[in-house]
């Protein structure tokens, strides 16, 4: 698997791009058929053959900080419950009681056991069925076979991954992403009327910085100047700040990326990890329908830090970043509306947008490998 460049190498590549008025480019353009954003059959295949069969990021490890911490949400349309057990291990289950199928819990919290609100069937943190009220009314019930239904779970690089159905590929080795000293300070969700792939694309290029973010990102960042790297199914796009020029006076071995750039990691298929000067964010883009996406953002800071950017826990992590996100969502919605115009047979992604081409190429390969197109 490709190895990502170290921070100092990234800094030098950016400074070279500034001096030469260049940016990273891919070998070719990519043309994605509009039908792939509008086809119900394609959408169903993406859910069934990719989002449920590949290891997908579910939440940051920091969302499950202690024994009994749980987080429940829908992933690829399926209710999933993740919980940290007494042994410190994170496990995930289909969020349904084995009696009458009731969803056990909503949201997040901390419990010693999960008690179904309908009839009181009780499950341990390991998913085992521990107690059935009036058990004599269920002759032949084998509690050992009626625990919560597990899904394959892995915890690595500060993230929890789940694979819901028979896995087609193992979880790839990942670089360090979210350090262990990060704590969760806010979770925010927003339903956006756009296809999930359109939303993914907005994170993966800096060609739009000047046009879309004139009053937000553009005054502090560069337009169409990025370092673009791929690693396996994933990618990393570096968005430098203008302040990176201050590093020219510092010896290369002493340079730091802190406060000088944002790394945006795309973890295939539908998650983003982004670094900012005062916080980090993990963003999961959950498809709700062919034209609707739930954008779930987990904001994290260091243990020693106060609330993100001076905000109290529960408030948005940064007014500056959120203002830019509003602009990105507006563009995603505009693209979605434009898909219905009939103007385009395909969307064209140029050589400046290589990470998007990598995403679509990987998605197409995953579907083809599963027998879909």
């Amino acid at each position: 698997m490709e190895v990502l460049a170290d921070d100092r190498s990234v800094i030098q590549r950016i400074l070279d791009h500034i001096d030469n008025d260049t940016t990273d480019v891919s070998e070719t353009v990519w043309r994605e058929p509009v039908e792939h954003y509008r086809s119900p059959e394609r959408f169903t295949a993406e859910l069934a053959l990719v989002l449920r069969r590949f290891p997908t990021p579910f939440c940051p490890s920091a969302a499950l900080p202690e024994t009994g911490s749980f987080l429940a949400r829908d992933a690829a349309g399926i209710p999933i419950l993740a919980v940290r057990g007494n042994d410190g291990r994170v496990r995930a289950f289909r969020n349904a009681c084995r009696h009458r199928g009731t969803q056990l819990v909503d949201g997040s919290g901390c419990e010693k056991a999960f008690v179904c609100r309908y009839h009181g069937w009780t499950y341990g943190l390991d998913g085992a069925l521990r107690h059935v009220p009036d058990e004599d009314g269920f002759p032949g019930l084998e509690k050992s076979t009626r625990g919560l239904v597990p899904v394959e779970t892995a915890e690595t690089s500060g993230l929890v991954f789940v694979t819901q159905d028979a896995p087609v590929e193992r979880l790839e080795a990942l670089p360090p992403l979210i350090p262990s000293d990060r704590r969760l300070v806010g979770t925010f969700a927003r339903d956006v009327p756009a296809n999930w792939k359109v939303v993914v694309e907005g994170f993966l290029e800096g060609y739009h910085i000047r046009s879309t973010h004139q009053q937000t990102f553009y005054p502090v960042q560069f337009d169409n100047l990025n370092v673009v790297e791929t690693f396996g199914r994933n990618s990393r796009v570096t968005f430098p700040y203008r302040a990176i020029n201050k590093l020219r006076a510092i010896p290369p071995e002493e340079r730091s990326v802190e406060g000088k750039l944002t790394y945006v990691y795309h973890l295939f298929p539908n998650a983003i990890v982004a670094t900012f000067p005062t916080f980090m964010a993990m963003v999961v883009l959950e498809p709700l329908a062919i034209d609707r996406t739930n954008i779930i953002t987990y904001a994290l800071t260091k243990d020693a830090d106060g609330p993100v950017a001076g905000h109290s826990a529960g408030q948005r992590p940064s007014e500056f970043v959120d203002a830019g996100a509003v602009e990105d969502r507006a563009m995603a919605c505009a693209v979605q509306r434009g898909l219905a115009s009939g103007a385009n047979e395909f969307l064209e992604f140029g050589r400046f947008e290589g990470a998007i081409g990598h995403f679509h190429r990987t998605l197409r390969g995953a579907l083809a490998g599963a027998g879909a197109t």
Side-chain angles (χ1 to χ4, degrees), residues 83-247:
V83 59
R84 192 171 298 280
N86 292 306
D87 57 0
R89 177 183 165 191
V90 174
R91 297 173 177 83
F93 307 93
R94 298 182 186 274
N95 187 8
C97 179
R98 299 302 305 282
H99 171 215
R100 298 267 290 276
T102 309
Q103 186 169 311
L104 287 176
V105 288
D106 300 302
S108 61
C110 191
E111 298 285 355
K112 295 181 179 179
F114 297 108
V115 181
C116 181
R117 296 164 289 181
Y118 202 176
H119 298 94
W121 285 36
T122 302
Y123 303 86
L125 301 182
D126 60 356
L129 178 57
R130 302 296 188 191
H131 175 67
V132 174
D134 299 320
E135 188 174 340
D136 58 348
F138 299 88
L141 174 67
E142 291 287 344
K143 286 194 293 186
S144 63
T145 66
R146 299 291 288 279
L148 299 178
V149 177
V151 297
E152 186 170 314
T153 312
E155 185 175 15
T156 184
S157 296
L159 300 167
V160 175
F161 291 77
V162 300
T163 309
Q164 296 187 34
D165 295 336
V168 293
E169 292 189 28
R170 297 181 62 84
L171 177 63
E172 294 178 322
L174 295 172
L177 292 170
I178 301 179
S180 59
D181 63 354
R182 294 319 193 255
R183 61 186 178 93
L184 184 68
V185 293
T187 303
F188 317 100
R190 184 180 292 272
D191 187 339
V192 175
N195 182 276
W196 72 279
K197 300 187 296 296
V198 172
V199 182
V200 170
E201 291 160 1
F203 286 92
L204 299 184
E205 48 87 4
Y207 182 43
H208 71 286
I209 296 295
R210 177 164 47 192
S211 298
T212 302
H213 303 297
Q214 293 184 18
Q215 304 302 318
T216 52
F217 295 159
Y218 181 58
V220 297
Q221 293 184 349
F222 293 90
D223 179 60
N224 201 25
L225 195 163
N226 303 98
V227 172
V228 180
E229 303 166 273
T230 61
F231 55 110
R233 297 185 290 263
N234 316 296
S235 64
R236 182 176 75 175
V237 181
T238 304
F239 294 80
Y241 306 156
R242 297 180 187 276
I244 201 167
N245 279 307
K246 297 178 180 179
L247 297 180

Side-chain angles (χ1 to χ4, degrees), residues 10-43:
V10 170
I11 291 169
Q12 189 58 55
R13 284 170 66 174
I14 292 167
L15 294 176
D16 290 343
H17 279 319
I18 294 171
D19 292 341
N20 297 313
D21 193 24
T22 55
T23 187
D24 279 12
V25 295
S26 59
E27 294 183 0
T28 61
V29 300
W30 181 267
R31 291 178 171 178
E32 185 67 13
V34 167
E35 182 66 13
H36 287 177
Y37 300 88
R38 305 193 69 210
S39 163
E41 293 77 18
R42 169 73 181 234
F43 179 74

Side-chain angles (χ1 to χ4, degrees), residues 61-63 65 178-185 278-280 299-308:
S61 296
I178 301 179
S180 59
D181 63 354
R182 294 319 193 255
R183 61 186 178 93
L184 184 68
V185 293
T278 60
F279 70 101
M280 298 185 69
L300 307 110
T301 63
K302 293 181 181 179
D303 282 334
D305 291 344
V308 181

